[in-house]
Amino acid sequence: MSTPTGTRRSDGARTHEAILEASARLASVEGINGLTIGRLAEELGVSKSGLFAHFGSKEALQLETIEAAKEIFDREVVRPALEAPPGLPRLEALFEAFFSYLERGVFPGGCFFAGLLADEDARSGPVHDRAVHLEREWIDFMEQLVREARELGHIKKDDDVEQLTFELYAYLELANYHFVLFRDPDALELGRVAAAERLSRALTEPRRSPTNHR
Amino acid sequence: MSTPTGTRRSDGARTHEAILEASARLASVEGINGLTIGRLAEELGVSKSGLFAHFGSKEALQLETIEAAKEIFDREVVRPALEAPPGLPRLEALFEAFFSYLERGVFPGGCFFAGLLADEDARSGPVHDRAVHLEREWIDFMEQLVREARELGHIKKDDDVEQLTFELYAYLELANYHFVLFRDPDALELGRVAAAERLSRALTEPRRSPTNHR
DNA sequence: CCTACCGATCGGTAGG
DNA sequence: CCTACCGATCGGTAGG
């Protein structure tokens, strides 16, 4: 009946985290601004003020929700990619982890950060600023993987890293929006094919199945 | 002092339209759901109920705002493209009109429909349904231009039309989000280069400046 | 964590 | 088009 000493997180911390995961799921559908304390409290079956006491302000809830979503994204997309060997395999693992994360509906509203990008792009304030910072980090991360693939001789040096990364990222992003909007896995397939073909065009050596197009 | 007979639209109709244009601009920043009648009334310097009387419900305001935004988009992006000759020139004109529309800040929050896509993708109801329909129409329109370019022998037949269109559209979309988020025209340049290179790769004949990459 | 409440704002209505 | 108002919900507070 006593709390096991092996328990690292207190009940309070676990509750806090559970709230934030629910908040991130809700925000992926309603948007980080459509998120309200009342609606979240209702979803969790707690009182509004009880929930509010965890955060102190709506803005703090929004910012903490973003960090919780980042933890989930890292766990579901970034870390699986980092388990693959550097270079081309890691890049391919990143894309596959991303599409899998969409397919599995980790967030019911699709990629949390695609939603955040669109919700906050034209606004200003701390939430916008955080969105800018995280988007920059994500682009830098992808560019680093592309650069590694290039330095390992997996992909050619005549593609500009920033440009190639932009194009690959664009496929992920549009695949996400269309997958959610149309509720149709075909959108993911378009994204997968686009990324695979763009990468295959950048390879130094053609693959065992050396199709360039289609 | 009398109303000139040459005036096609009544004052009421012009007012209604002016309201909707302000609404579309506001919604491009706040989102179609972040849009409120009170905020819009304040912006226009009219009473909330006076404004409300024009629409009858918030949902009607949202739906009318979307149609008004479509008029603007058609005027700024679609019609300029249709003035170019069919095939490759028209496709290039469409992209340039789109980037120009972003650069000129026609909507202060970037492309109205990119925002609508992300705001409504995970929701349900009449506004979502309208967003689905318009997105489908826009994709079909771009696919038709690609198909024309192909039938006129401007681009190769070994690229799948749906796939090629998806890739081109993806560049426009990510360029928009990054242009607005980072407030940086470099994002537009990445989009322009991506689209130009992707198109040039699909050409049946290489161009006067036959660079494949960079 | 709760009940009970605050002023502000929401979408919407009545009456003119 | 306006003033004046409705109940519901917003973010947030007091007090326990």
Side-chain angles (χ1 to χ4, degrees), chain B residues 117-131:
Chain B
L117 168 62
D119 281 348
E120 284 295 327
D121 60 353
R123 295 183 177 241
S124 55
V127 178
H128 165 88
D129 295 347
R130 190 67 191 143

Side-chain angles (χ1 to χ4, degrees), chain A residues 183-200:
Chain A
R183 280 117 217 225
D184 183 356
D186 286 359
L188 297 186
E189 196 51 28
L190 286 166
R192 277 193 170 100
V193 169
E197 285 193 352
R198 185 64 188 84
L199 269 183
S200 101

